[in-house]
Amino acid sequence: MWTTMKNLDLNSVGLSLSLGLIVLVLYEIIRIISSRAKTPPGPTPLPFMGSLPYFVTKPMELIRSMSQYGEMTTVYFGRKPTIVLNTIQITKEALVQNASSFSGRPSVPLIDWITKGYGIIFTSFGHSWRQQRRFALHTLRNFGLGKKSVEERVSEEGCYLVAEMLKAEGKPFDPQHAIHNAVSNIICSIIFGDRFDYNNKRFAYLLKILKNHIIQTGSLIAQIFNLFPFIKHFPGPHQKIYQNAEKLKDFVREALKEHRETLDANSPRDFIDAYLLEIEKQKSNEDSTFHEENMLISTADLFLAGTDTTGTSISWGLIFLMGNQDVQERCHQEIVGVLGYDRLPSMDDRDKLPYTYATVYEIQRHSNIVPLGVVHETTQAVKLRGYNIPKETQIMTNLTAILSDKEHWKFPHTFNPENFLDDNGHFYKTESFLPFSLGPRVCLGETLAKTELFIFITSLLQRIHFSWPPGEKRPDMDGIFSVVRSPQPFNILCHSRDSKE
């Protein structure tokens, strides 16, 4: 009899759990139906997970499908709706004309765990963000951003990069470390006051950690963490993301320690010196957001953003140029026709090198390294094209659709510099070219990135011919999708060009 009652109890528990689960799923389905009636159309979400499983397995396929729903799409990454802006017109309306309503940043558990809400890129739209961004822009300009001094540093680093690549002349090698080291050296010279040799093992290790950190931050485990942030208290692969972030912060901490010990208040050398002086200056200001923790994260933000995005764009550029030898050859002929083989390129040469300049822009368009832009959030309830969008709704910009809109591009789906040339062969760009975003949250390193891209790519094409090694498997052009869409590892062949060719 006891055994019978025990079996009945277990059956009752099982039945209760099953019924409870069914009720929960039905409630979730009803909630989704109610939510979808109030938002722009989009793919049908799964209960609790939304489109997240599909986004993790086939991200670019999902992103390319979004524009079929119209100028706005609603996608569920988990239980909350995200509004995706698919056209340049509605993007400008939201991020520029209604900037104050669309310039927030959502609370992302993984990012909050790492940054504690400090820094520039992912911090919320408010007093701290304004102070930190304003200071960063002002200080970066003081140390050469947008001036000849930084341009000269980029040109000099371009020479180092060419020499580094030609060390492996005729032998297959992966160029991505050298490219990222070169790009990173520019922002490092501004932030830390120093550059790092390409054979510096410690810095090479740091760049490897940085790359892994960016990939992991957009990985499946990161998405699971954002759904269930309480797992930070338990062991698992998510702890590796935090550990890598701490290693990057340790690098910055060490630099801060060295700067503090050698600081000369009358002669600041770089961004860190300027920040240390600002902390002292703002001590009596109750509204100040300048303190060591904000300095640490703001410096790390500049280091990460100033290294990976531009380096990734140049890496994609080499892939496109090796696959389009006619473009590579035409650029080289134009460059040597204007500069010869020895004069270093400068930003003043852009008008004399329209095809090369168009190629640099086409590399940015076609590489599309941030397919959905950096996520925004509404700071208040707002109306957009007839839809009532609540406060704290996530907003994304479908740069994939905008950068391949057939109404604005002559060759929307292929790599072709003619997208940036008029009928007379002169350079021009349309309003749909916005890899740096729009509005108050526009990339603060845009000027530096444009300088690096033009001078580095021009320097490489001036002196080196790039080709695929025989039998080299071509990388998947969807790449590795994460915070930044980067190419899979690939090898190249370099051959020096000289005046005798």
Side-chain angles (χ1 to χ4, degrees):
M1 183 176 178
W2 171 252
T3 303
T4 304
M5 290 179 65
K6 189 175 179 182
N7 288 337
L8 283 172
D9 287 343
L10 288 174
N11 290 335
S12 298
V13 170
L15 182 61
S16 298
L17 288 174
S18 299
L19 289 173
L21 183 61
I22 291 170
V23 170
L24 192 62
V25 171
L26 287 173
Y27 171 79
E28 180 69 3
I29 291 172
I30 293 169
R31 188 192 68 82
I32 289 171
I33 292 171
S34 175
S35 175
R36 294 187 75 202
K38 304 171 188 174
T39 58
T44 303
L46 297 171
F48 307 109
M49 299 295 287
S51 296
L52 199 55
Y54 195 69
F55 184 72
V56 169
T57 56
K58 298 181 178 180
M60 291 306 298
E61 192 172 312
L62 176 63
I63 293 169
R64 291 188 191 104
S65 73
M66 289 179 182
S67 57
Q68 69 177 294
Y69 297 100
E71 59 185 0
M72 289 192 289
T73 304
T74 303
V75 181
Y76 287 75
F77 299 117
R79 300 183 73 237
K80 289 184 68 176
T82 294
I83 308 298
V84 180
L85 311 177
N86 292 321
T87 67
I88 182 62
Q89 293 83 7
I90 198 164
T91 298
K92 289 174 70 176
E93 183 176 336
L95 303 188
V96 179
Q97 297 168 24
N98 294 283
S100 61
S101 299
F102 285 91
S103 292
R105 284 278 192 258
S107 176
V108 180
L110 181 64
I111 300 299
D112 293 343
W113 188 31
I114 292 169
T115 68
K116 299 179 176 64
Y118 296 123
I120 305 170
I121 297 175
F122 294 105
T123 194
S124 59
F125 187 68
H127 176 62
S128 179
W129 171 78
R130 289 188 186 91
Q131 277 201 339
Q132 297 302 313
R133 183 181 172 92
R134 191 182 303 119
F135 174 80
L137 278 171
H138 175 72
T139 305
L140 292 176
R141 285 174 185 148
N142 283 347
F143 288 104
L145 192 66
K147 299 177 183 177
K148 278 287 182 183
S149 55
V150 161
E151 187 179 321
E152 289 164 2
R153 287 185 217 177
V154 178
S155 294
E156 182 182 11
E157 194 64 47
C159 294
Y160 290 129
L161 178 58
V162 168
E164 181 66 18
M165 287 200 166
L166 288 177
K167 285 180 183 178
E169 183 170 7
K171 300 175 183 177
F173 75 103
D174 189 333
Q176 293 186 82
H177 166 67
I179 292 168
H180 279 75
N181 202 139
V183 172
S184 189
N185 274 342
I186 306 305
I187 194 65
C188 283
S189 68
I190 297 171
I191 296 174
F192 306 118
D194 202 1
R195 67 176 295 277
F196 298 89
D197 291 335
Y198 298 99
N199 59 1
N200 185 315
K201 292 183 180 179
R202 177 170 170 268
F203 193 64
Y205 177 66
L206 184 76
L207 290 178
K208 184 179 179 180
I209 289 174
L210 185 151
K211 191 67 182 176
N212 288 339
H213 176 65
I214 288 174
I215 290 173
Q216 290 170 346
T217 303
S219 67
L220 172 60
I221 188 60
Q223 304 307 322
I224 293 173
F225 183 95
N226 289 331
L227 289 175
F228 310 106
F230 62 84
I231 65 173
K232 71 180 180 182
H233 301 294
F234 302 98
H238 57 280
Q239 296 292 347
K240 185 66 176 177
I241 303 175
Y242 186 82
Q243 290 163 10
N244 280 343
E246 284 301 307
K247 288 176 183 178
L248 292 170
K249 287 193 276 187
D250 284 343
F251 176 79
V252 179
R253 285 189 187 102
E254 187 176 321
L256 296 181
K257 182 174 180 292
E258 293 172 359
H259 277 66
R260 190 177 285 107
E261 292 170 353
T262 58
L263 178 64
D264 180 353
N266 297 315
S267 182
R269 297 158 293 186
D270 47 40
F271 179 84
I272 293 178
D273 274 0
Y275 204 113
L276 288 169
L277 294 173
E278 191 68 19
I279 290 176
E280 287 299 315
K281 179 182 173 183
Q282 298 276 357
K283 265 188 175 179
S284 59
N285 183 357
E286 292 182 0
D287 291 332
S288 173
T289 61
F290 292 91
H291 49 77
E292 186 161 321
E293 195 66 23
N294 230 339
M295 174 169 60
L296 176 67
I297 303 301
S298 292
T299 303
D301 276 353
L302 293 174
F303 174 59
L304 267 70
T307 296
D308 197 69
T309 51
T310 303
T312 298
S313 295
I314 295 173
S315 295
W316 276 116
L318 291 186
I319 291 173
F320 302 150
L321 290 164
M322 289 189 295
N324 294 269
Q325 289 289 330
D326 56 329
V327 175
Q328 185 179 168
E329 195 60 32
R330 185 170 168 183
C331 285
H332 172 71
Q333 293 300 330
E334 183 181 65
I335 293 165
V336 296
V338 174
L339 306 179
Y341 286 86
D342 298 317
R343 182 166 82 75
L344 300 179
S346 73
M347 297 302 281
D348 293 337
D349 295 317
R350 287 171 293 179
D351 290 342
K352 306 168 200 167
L353 301 170
Y355 190 81
T356 304
Y357 194 33
T359 299
V360 172
Y361 268 69
E362 179 66 356
I363 286 171
Q364 292 176 77
R365 184 194 74 86
H366 201 57
S367 62
N368 181 29
I369 63 170
V370 190
L372 287 175
V374 180
V375 63
H376 287 232
E377 184 181 76
T378 51
T379 59
Q380 58 190 9
V382 63
K383 196 161 190 171
L384 185 65
R385 301 289 173 93
Y387 288 99
N388 292 312
I389 301 176
K391 182 181 179 181
E392 297 181 352
T393 298
Q394 291 191 17
I395 305 294
M396 287 183 159
T397 306
N398 191 348
L399 295 182
T400 302
I402 294 170
L403 292 173
S404 60
D405 188 335
K406 62 184 180 181
E407 293 184 11
H408 295 94
W409 305 100
K410 290 180 280 188
F411 305 96
H413 302 297
T414 57
F415 178 79
N416 194 327
E418 297 289 339
N419 280 311
F420 291 94
L421 294 171
D422 64 18
D423 294 338
N424 297 315
H426 298 139
F427 175 83
Y428 84 102
K429 68 182 179 75
T430 73
E431 65 173 359
S432 289
F433 181 76
L434 66 160
F436 301 102
S437 191
L438 293 170
R441 289 282 189 172
V442 66
C443 173
L444 60 81
E446 179 177 354
T447 302
L448 178 61
K450 287 179 176 178
T451 300
E452 290 174 335
L453 286 164
F454 178 73
I455 292 180
F456 279 142
I457 292 171
T458 303
S459 297
L460 291 170
L461 291 175
Q462 180 185 27
R463 297 290 308 282
I464 302 175
H465 176 261
F466 299 97
S467 60
W468 289 110
E472 175 77 9
K473 184 181 177 182
R474 304 299 190 264
D476 182 346
M477 296 307 287
D478 278 352
I480 302 170
F481 188 91
S482 187
V483 176
V484 173
R485 188 179 72 95
S486 56
Q488 296 172 338
F490 65 98
N491 290 322
I492 65 171
L493 280 181
C494 291
H495 287 96
S496 176
R497 295 184 185 263
D498 57 46
S499 56
K500 295 177 183 178
E501 63 177 9

